[in-house]
Amino acid sequence: MSASDFGIRVECYAGYRGEQEPRRFWLGARPVAVAEILDRWLAPEHRYFKVRGDDAGAYLLRHDTRADRWELTLFESRPG
C-alpha cells in the first residue's frame, strides 16, 4: 500500500466563505491536530493542503472533491 492509497478521516472547519479547511485528522486511531496550514492549492478534481501537525510532522492531504474522500499523500517527520 502506498501513501497515496491511505484514506484518512478528516475533521474540517468551514470558514466564512464556506471553504473547508482541515483542522484534525486520524491516522488509524491516532488523532493529529492541524497546528498550521503551510500551503494550499487547487487542481481540477482535488484540493491539496500541506499542513504541520501538532506532532511537528508535515503532511500533504488531498481531498477528492467529487468522491468527498481524503487521502494522505505525503508525510515528513521533523528531525530530532
Side-chain angles (χ1 to χ4, degrees):
M1 182 156 116
S2 71
S4 64
D5 295 329
F6 195 71
I8 57 172
R9 184 166 59 102
V10 178
E11 179 183 291
C12 293
Y13 166 79
Y16 70 95
R17 292 186 290 179
E19 295 177 350
Q20 291 191 359
E21 295 181 344
R23 292 295 183 209
R24 177 176 294 121
F25 57 96
W26 283 261
L27 300 173
R30 182 173 71 91
V32 178
V34 173
E36 179 182 9
I37 295 177
L38 302 170
D39 199 2
R40 67 182 87 204
W41 60 96
L42 297 173
E45 296 179 9
H46 295 95
R47 296 175 63 212
Y48 292 87
F49 294 89
K50 184 173 184 181
V51 301
R52 173 90 49 220
D54 62 352
D55 60 358
Y59 299 86
L60 184 58
L61 307 176
R62 178 173 72 181
H63 183 227
D64 181 328
T65 55
R66 291 186 183 183
D68 194 25
R69 175 181 161 85
W70 287 89
E71 298 173 315
L72 173 64
T73 61
L74 178 72
F75 167 72
E76 296 175 344
S77 64
R78 179 172 276 176

